[in-house]
């Protein structure tokens, strides 16, 4: 058993959906979350910049003696995961592998849609991984860059959000996909709206929950689950504190915040 905390980082608040899912499937684990809110979004950044940010975020988490790093950001998983796995001695988990497995299991007609940030879609990480496992699969990948700002403004069921979703979803409808991968950890907050707009014929693959299930399996196999009956809570660190943060974060987590601190990841404050 390993009672050290799990470290999680994301470009902003979206990774809190992963933190929530991790707490649901592993209530005994303590969590340390870093949201790089000063530099969000990552989806429009170069691969070199994303790798640099991911290294800095990981370095902060490792300074807190975490037993593993969860990259709760699809864009960072797409561009930086392999680099981190080579450079860090600590286990590193991403969100893409589990999402790919879940999508392949869910689809019945072999038609899968992928919606994510521009960076995630541009990387072809999901497309390549799905094609590698099932070469004949039919894919529709759509960059949906306007959704993260709307979610971070708490416009989850706003008329403007629905209007933009209509523009994004028509390609998936036209292609007849029966499975839609939410390839951004912000997007699970849109599930009620998406389910209402798409109907029951489309299965939504939630990258947050699939990631949490994957991490649990890996920790079980390595004997690294915590022995604490209730964990030691969760610490939240941010590189900037945006307006409406507490209200939005508690919606992501579905619980009250326990510890929030604004820090720098340039090495100054740790």
């Amino acid at each position: 058993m390993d009672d050290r905390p799990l470290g999680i980082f994301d470009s902003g608040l979206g990774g809190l959906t992963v933190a929530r899912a991790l707490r649901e499937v592993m209530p005994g684990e303590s969590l340390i979350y870093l949201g790089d809110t000063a530099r969000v979004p990552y989806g429009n950044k170069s691969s070199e910049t994303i790798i640099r940010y991911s290294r800095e975020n990981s370095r902060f988490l490792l300074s807190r003696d975490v037993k593993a790093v969860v990259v709760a950001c699809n864009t960072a998983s797409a561009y930086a995961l392999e680099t981190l796995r080579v450079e860090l001695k600590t286990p590193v988990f991403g969100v893409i592998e589990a999402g790919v497995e879940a999508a392949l299991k869910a689809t019945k007609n072999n038609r899968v849609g992928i919606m994510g940030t521009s960076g995630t879609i541009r990387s072809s990480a999901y497309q390549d991984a799905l094609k590698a496992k099932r070469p004949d699969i039919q894919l529709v990948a759509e960059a949906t860059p306007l959704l993260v700002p709307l979610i971070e403004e708490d416009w989850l069921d706003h008329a403007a959000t629905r209007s933009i979703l209509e523009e994004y979803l028509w390609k998936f409808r036209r292609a007849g996909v029966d499975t839609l991968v939410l390839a951004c950890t912000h997007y699970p907050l849109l599930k009620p709206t998406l389910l209402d707009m798409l109907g029951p014929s489309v299965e939504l693959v939630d990258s947050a929950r699939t990631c949490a299930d994957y991490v649990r399996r890996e920790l079980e196999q390595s004997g690294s689950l915590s022995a604490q009956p209730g964990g030691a809570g969760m610490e939240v660190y941010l590189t900037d504190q945006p307006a409406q943060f507490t209200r939005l974060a508690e919606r992501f987590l579905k619980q009250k915040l326990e510890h929030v601190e604004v820090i720098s990841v340039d090495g100054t404050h740790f």
Side-chain angles (χ1 to χ4, degrees), residues 96-106 130 133 205 210 214 217:
I96 293 174
E97 294 157 310
V100 166
E101 290 178 12
L104 292 174
K105 184 177 179 180
L130 286 162
K133 290 180 177 291
V205 173
T210 57
Y214 176 73
R217 290 196 304 269

Side-chain angles (χ1 to χ4, degrees), residues 193-245:
T193 303
L194 288 167
L195 287 169
D196 182 54
M197 295 177 71
L198 291 170
S201 63
V202 178
E203 181 82 13
L204 299 180
V205 173
D206 179 343
S207 60
R209 185 52 187 256
T210 57
C211 174
D213 290 336
Y214 176 73
V215 172
R216 178 183 174 85
R217 290 196 304 269
E218 293 297 311
L219 292 181
E220 283 179 331
Q221 290 176 9
S222 65
S224 300
L225 284 173
S226 173
Q228 300 179 88
M234 179 168 65
E235 299 175 8
V236 176
Y237 296 90
L238 307 173
T239 54
D240 185 33
Q241 185 146 346
Q244 308 181 55
F245 168 76

